[in-house]
């Protein structure tokens, strides 16, 4: 039986992604992204 290899690249990439998300939340970017998403959705359905 072959031993499974630990996916180190996937783990490192995931940790980097989580770190960047945490940094963006720390800087307050989450509110900006949410506001832009709401604006785009409202424009899409013709309300905004």
């Amino acid at each position: 039986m072959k031993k499974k290899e630990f996916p180190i690249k996937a783990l490192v990439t995931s940790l980097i992604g989580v770190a960047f998300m945490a940094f963006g939340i720390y800087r307050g970017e989450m509110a900006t992204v949410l506001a832009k998403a709401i604006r785009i959705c409202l424009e899409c359905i013709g309300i905004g």
Side-chain angles (χ1 to χ4, degrees), residues 1-2 6 9 11-14 16 18-22 24-26 29 31 34-36 39 41-44 46 48:
M1 184 178 270
K2 190 174 182 181
F6 189 72
K9 289 180 185 179
L11 179 64
V12 170
T13 305
S14 297
I16 290 171
V18 169
F20 276 123
M21 285 193 296
I25 291 169
Y26 172 75
E29 299 291 331
L34 182 61
K36 288 180 180 182
R39 213 172 306 126
C41 281
L42 291 177
E43 288 176 6
C44 237

